[in-house]
Amino acid sequence: MKAFVTAVAVVGFSAVLTYVGLVTFDQSTAQRYEDGSVVLLDHPTSWEVD
Amino acid sequence: MSDSAGGVRGRDFTGYRIAGAIAALIFLFLLAWQVVLLFAADSTVRPEVAIRAAGDSPGMHSGMIAAETLAARTRLLDERFRTGPSPEAEVPALAEGRANLDSESMTDGSAYTRAWSVPTEDEAAMMHQPDRIEGISSLPYSNAALFERPFGRDWRIGMSDIITHMGALAILGMAFLLSAVLALRGRVPIRQGKSGRRVHRFGFVERGTHWMTALSFLGLSFTGIAIAYGETLFVPLGERAMGTLGWWSTWGHVLFAPTFFLGLIVMAVMWTAKNLPSKLDIQWIAKGGGFFSDSGDHPPARKFNAGQKMVFWSAILGGLIMVATGVTLMFPYYWLDLAGMSWAMLIHAAIAVLLIAVFLAHIYIGSVGMHGAIDAMWSGKVDRNWAEEHHSLWLREVDPKKERTP
């Protein structure tokens, strides 16, 4: 019983920590690679084809 | 059955069997439903409305002017979206709305998509560029003109058809099997009944780690199932329910990952040595663990029997694959490109459904499936008679002087 309750607390605490960490360092993939170092779309857009 | 009565059958056991039978019927129905879905026709997108510029003859569907006009309007909308209203700015002639467009319903729109969605060999060879099939589109997102990548199509079939359906069959099939075992066999009893004397089996750190990993796994499973099967399970509850549950599931799936990984590492350190295969395991498997009959010998086992070893290695190996593939998906393009991430997602989904099926069995046998089993992980102490029946060699290691208590 004590082990179970401790585990609930640890999992809950870790989830909160992870959430705060992710929100703090959140960055969209498009922002991260806006310098063009990674090509996210390896094909032309529809109006570039025109 | 009362714990001290010493019998192996009784009213409680009958109750469990009835519950098992009801659950088995429910899961059988769900399995049948899944089989119907398995053979149902695929959903496809097909054109329903033809748009052409006024002046084209009705029989002609070339629609080139219409396509140019729509593209010009879309481009204008896209610019206005970014710059805001610009009443003074010049409007391109084609987008101005002077070119009248007619629309009419199409009787068989699938004729237009069939050529590339189900191409003949010749059509495929003609259209096949290195790894994509492109067309012309006026839709305002950048990859709208990319109709299909063969790899993307294979990935979608792998995810949407094979893994999703096979996963549902594996999970529902295992649930049905376990319910049927409970209905037909009943709980595995302690043959001699509980002795009332207990022996220490798992310490606080072992139990805490087990529950930490188990709770994380449950969290990951429920959120993962919501992600994979949300459309089937939650859309009938309303789009708001799907949106809310989808949002929570996407976040929640990530939040449970660190403790899951930590649990795997600690369990590997604590229990790997005791879970290495041995000759006893062959004997245990040959006798089916002694689960299928109340008479006959129970195969001897040390701290972990062959069934528990299989669960342990499923958790460690399967879990590490899940963590490795999951982390690559949490950080897109950090280590893998699009093809690599597609493979990671396929592997992640396939192992996930198998792990859920395996751990359904683990949860079953550790709770309702076997009398006295839950005590090992709840209080850490098991009844001596339970230990004698399922882990006789371990009992002699930890408590060599005492014999079985009748």
Side-chain angles (χ1 to χ4, degrees):
Chain A
M1 175 73 183
K2 277 183 193 166
F4 181 81
V5 173
T6 307
V8 171
V10 170
V11 172
F13 181 64
S14 162
V16 172
L17 271 187
T18 309
Y19 181 82
V20 171
L22 287 174
V23 167
T24 306
F25 298 104
D26 185 29
Q27 187 185 35
S28 77
T29 304
Q31 273 178 322
R32 177 173 166 79
Y33 298 114
E34 65 187 354
D35 62 350
S37 60
V38 169
V39 179
L40 301 178
L41 290 170
D42 58 348
H43 54 82
T45 60
S46 57
W47 24 88
E48 285 167 343
V49 176
D50 290 344
Chain B
M1 189 191 80
S2 74
D3 289 350
S4 56
V8 296
R9 297 289 174 199
R11 202 172 53 203
D12 286 357
F13 279 89
T14 309
Y16 278 107
R17 293 183 68 169
I18 292 170
I22 294 169
L25 279 176
I26 293 171
F27 285 120
L28 191 62
F29 171 77
L30 291 173
L31 261 179
W33 174 46
Q34 185 51 224
V35 170
V36 169
L37 286 181
L38 183 64
F39 292 105
D42 286 343
S43 301
T44 53
V45 176
R46 67 163 189 265
E48 292 178 346
V49 178
I51 299 176
R52 61 172 178 273
D56 284 4
S57 64
M60 287 176 62
H61 288 290
S62 65
M64 285 309 291
I65 297 176
E68 291 283 327
T69 306
L70 285 171
R73 287 184 184 180
T74 307
R75 195 179 296 120
L76 179 68
L77 282 175
D78 187 50
E79 282 172 16
R80 290 289 187 271
F81 178 76
R82 278 182 271 144
T83 61
S86 310
E88 308 299 321
E90 192 181 332
V91 176
L94 262 180
E96 212 171 6
R98 297 275 181 251
N100 291 323
L101 297 180
D102 290 338
S103 62
E104 64 177 77
S105 297
M106 299 174 86
T107 47
D108 182 16
S110 60
Y112 290 87
T113 53
R114 196 172 297 131
W116 56 269
S117 65
V118 194
T120 64
E121 203 170 321
D122 287 346
E123 287 166 340
M126 194 166 62
M127 291 192 297
H128 185 70
Q129 290 177 38
D131 56 0
R132 65 195 51 143
I133 297 169
E134 287 179 14
I136 300 171
S137 172
S138 63
L139 294 175
Y141 51 96
S142 53
N143 60 351
L146 177 63
F147 285 172
E148 193 163 274
R149 287 171 195 264
F151 178 79
R153 180 192 55 212
D154 294 344
W155 175 85
R156 179 167 47 80
I157 291 170
M159 285 297 289
S160 304
D161 287 357
I162 298 173
I163 294 176
T164 306
H165 283 121
M166 294 305 146
L169 289 178
I171 293 168
L172 292 171
M174 179 62 86
F176 168 71
L177 199 67
L178 296 170
S179 308
V181 166
L182 183 61
L184 299 173
R185 162 76 170 102
R187 302 185 85 188
V188 175
I190 300 174
R191 293 178 189 174
Q192 303 298 319
K194 284 192 172 178
S195 67
R197 295 172 60 197
R198 301 199 296 173
V199 56
H200 190 261
R201 181 156 167 79
F202 288 118
F204 180 81
V205 174
E206 287 177 300
R207 283 177 287 137
T209 306
H210 168 269
W211 287 119
M212 179 178 75
T213 318
L215 287 166
S216 305
F217 180 79
L218 286 177
L220 289 164
S221 298
F222 283 122
T223 53
I225 284 172
I227 292 167
Y229 298 101
E231 201 174 330
T232 307
L233 297 176
F234 301 136
V235 165
L237 303 177
E239 286 178 1
R240 182 173 288 259
M242 179 64 215
T244 307
L245 285 165
W247 191 88
W248 279 106
S249 298
T250 312
W251 267 107
H253 202 65
V254 176
L255 303 186
F256 290 114
T259 37
F260 181 67
F261 181 55
L262 178 66
L264 289 181
I265 299 300
V266 179
M267 287 199 305
V269 171
M270 288 190 306
W271 290 335
T272 297
K274 289 187 166 64
N275 277 286
L276 296 174
S278 75
K279 284 181 183 172
L280 284 172
D281 299 332
I282 300 168
Q283 192 184 347
W284 190 92
I285 292 169
K287 291 189 174 181
F291 289 151
F292 298 103
S293 164
D294 288 344
S295 55
D297 287 342
H298 253 303
R302 299 188 192 281
K303 180 152 184 169
F304 296 116
N305 60 39
Q308 290 165 322
K309 288 179 183 179
M310 285 190 268
V311 166
F312 173 80
W313 288 111
S314 299
I316 298 298
L317 300 178
L320 289 179
I321 293 173
M322 295 303 288
V323 170
T325 52
V327 168
T328 61
L329 296 171
M330 280 172 67
F331 297 96
Y333 296 99
Y334 275 64
W335 304 282
L336 295 175
D337 60 5
L338 197 61
M341 289 191 295
S342 303
W343 276 111
M345 194 181 269
L346 282 171
I347 294 167
H348 195 81
I351 302 287
V353 289
L354 290 178
L355 279 184
I356 290 173
V358 167
F359 279 88
L360 274 181
H362 174 63
I363 293 166
Y364 168 79
I365 204 70
S367 55
V368 293
M370 180 187 285
H371 193 206
I374 189 73
D375 296 335
M377 275 301 164
W378 194 250
S379 65
K381 294 173 182 167
V382 292
D383 192 88
R384 283 185 57 83
N385 284 353
W386 180 91
E388 176 64 36
E389 287 178 18
H390 298 290
H391 299 277
S392 53
L393 299 176
W394 167 76
L395 183 63
R396 289 189 184 97
E397 282 171 22
V398 296
D399 202 3
K401 293 174 187 169
K402 296 176 182 171
E403 294 302 314
R404 171 189 286 205
T405 305

